[in-house]
Amino acid sequence: MSELQTQIKGIIEGEDVALFMKGTPQFVMCGNSQRALDALRRAGAPVTVVDILPDPRIRQELSALSGWPTIPQVFVRGELIGGADIVEELERSGELERTLHAKLGELFSGEERVVAVA
């Protein structure tokens, strides 16, 4: 496993909610990334964001690990939840909040942070 793959896997497995997106919460570069971020915000999720744009290898390694070809990708406690459409659908049905409570407990904060991989 490459160092980059190890870093990505560490984020997926070590963060409560990981969002791999195009851009950052302050400067979103893709409508689908914005939609996924907004759904997570509305659910009050604590989100750790990774911007995949600085290095094309991030997207390649992420997709190799997850088996999911598109961006954004949302993980909750190591489990791939999906992309923008799925996360929005889960939010509408109430399943996103139920999943967050089941995996993170009743109390979680909506804080956001950005981490870099390279």
Side-chain angles (χ1 to χ4, degrees), residues 26-97:
Q26 296 75 27
F27 196 67
V28 179
M29 300 293 292
C30 163
N32 287 331
S33 292
Q34 183 71 61
R35 290 173 40 226
L37 179 61
D38 288 347
L40 292 167
R41 283 175 170 164
R42 287 189 295 269
V47 181
T48 298
V49 172
V50 176
D51 179 5
I52 62 118
L53 292 176
D55 184 342
R57 295 177 308 140
I58 299 169
R59 181 180 186 153
Q60 293 166 344
E61 298 289 355
L62 173 63
S63 291
L65 282 169
S66 69
W68 191 267
T70 59
I71 301 296
Q73 293 185 27
V74 175
F75 296 83
V76 177
R77 287 267 167 96
E79 178 186 346
L80 177 64
I81 300 299
D85 291 341
I86 292 171
V87 171
E88 281 185 328
E89 184 179 317
L90 292 172
E91 183 209 5
R92 276 192 297 275
S93 71
E95 189 61 32
L96 179 59
E97 196 167 340

